[in-house]
């Protein structure tokens, strides 16, 4: 597959609309619709939706940006701190985004006792998986986060990078996130209000970051350091996420077992 898509969709004078920006907006648009549906289904106050979405946007962007800067090239960004603010130049981390969401939703739930922390994390995990589907498509259109060279028949030649056929790792991750979204939605719909707290979040963390761990083996390393290490930075960061998800799932199984 010869891939030479212009990352800019169209422009009006100085204003440029990029494919990545379009997919980023789609993430929060569809996320809002899903969370609104959940709130209606569980009779939660819809007037909290705007606050929730605003909190999510800020937590995701700030966390993802700081994660990219501090996890993948700390030496450069700590010596050029103003560069951290230049989000439009690209550079967002899924691990940082996850941490940002954890912090943002903790602050959101402090003034809402009817929406416990694990309760809201379980429900937000569903559109977050869908967001991963859209964001990785945006990376594909940007010809970034590319895979290692391969001779597989479905390899992509990213013409804006080089002439080598490579793993389309963005597409792999996008498809995986789409399938995980379907799984989480199915689990939630089966039980919805009776869903054990921590179940959906645990499934999200284990599936997303286990896949992320293994996909790193066919992905060009992004960090500006650690090339001699046996695992990439992305893999090291995925391990605690998988461990946290496993703990949540084990606690859920224990609770279900104790109720029998």
């Amino acid at each position: 597959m010869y891939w030479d898509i212009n990352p800019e969709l169209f422009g009006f004078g100085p204003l440029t609309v990029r494919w990545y920006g379009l997919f980023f907006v789609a993430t929060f648009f569809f996320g809002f619709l899903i969370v609104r549906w959940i709130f209606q289904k569980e009779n939660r106050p819809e007037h909290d939706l705007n606050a929730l979405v605003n909190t999510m946007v800020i937590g995701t962007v700030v966390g993802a940006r700081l994660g990219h800067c501090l996890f993948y090239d700390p030496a450069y960004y700590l010596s050029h701190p103003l560069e951290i603010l230049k989000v439009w130049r690209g550079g967002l981390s899924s691990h940082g985004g996850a941490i940002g969401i954890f912090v943002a939703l903790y602050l959101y739930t402090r003034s809402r006792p009817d929406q416990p922390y694990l309760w809201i994390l379980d429900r937000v995990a569903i559109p977050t998986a869908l967001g991963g589907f859209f964001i990785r498509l945006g990376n594909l259109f940007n010809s970034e986060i590319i895979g290692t060279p391969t001779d597989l028949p479905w390899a992509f030649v990213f013409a804006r990078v080089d002439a080598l056929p490579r793993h389309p790792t963005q597409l792999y991750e996008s498809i995986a996130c789409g399938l995980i979204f379907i799984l989480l939605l199915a689990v939630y719909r089966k039980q919805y209000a009776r869903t054990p707290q921590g179940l959906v979040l645990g499934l999200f963390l284990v599936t997303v970051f286990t896949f992320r761990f293994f996909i790193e083996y066919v992905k060009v390393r992004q960090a500006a350091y650690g090339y001699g290490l046996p695992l990439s930075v992305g893999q090291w960061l995925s391990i605690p996420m998988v461990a946290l998800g496993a703990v949540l799932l084990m606690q859920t199984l224990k609770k279900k077992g104790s109720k029998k």
Side-chain angles (χ1 to χ4, degrees), residues 181-199:
F181 163 72
I182 294 171
L183 169 66
L184 300 183
L185 186 61
V187 169
Y188 171 76
R189 290 191 65 178
K190 185 177 180 180
Q191 304 186 58
Y192 87 98
R194 295 178 286 106
T195 302
Q197 288 193 15
L199 174 63

Side-chain angles (χ1 to χ4, degrees), residues 207-221:
T207 54
V208 168
F209 290 103
T210 296
F211 187 85
R212 175 66 189 273
F213 181 91
F214 287 106
I215 201 68
E216 288 285 318
Y217 285 113
V218 293
K219 184 188 294 185
V220 173
R221 293 195 176 189

Side-chain angles (χ1 to χ4, degrees), residues 45-101:
E46 287 193 49
H47 58 74
D48 282 342
L49 282 173
N50 287 335
L52 176 59
V53 171
N54 291 337
T55 301
M56 283 284 295
V57 171
I58 294 171
T60 302
V61 174
V62 173
R65 181 59 178 168
L66 288 177
H68 170 79
C69 298
L70 300 179
F71 294 155
Y72 290 96
D73 200 353
Y76 174 78
Y77 285 104
L78 290 177
S79 59
H80 302 82
L82 291 180
E83 292 294 316
I84 297 175
L85 302 176
K86 298 178 180 178
V87 181
W88 59 89
R89 291 190 176 179
L92 298 173
S93 160
S94 58
H95 298 92
I99 294 170
I101 289 172

Side-chain angles (χ1 to χ4, degrees), residues 107-108 119 130 136 154 167 176 223 225 239 247 249 253 258:
L107 297 175
Y108 168 84
W119 181 91
L130 183 61
R136 283 298 183 244
W154 58 80
H167 284 283
Y225 61 95
I239 291 172
V247 169
L249 290 178
L253 292 174
S258 64

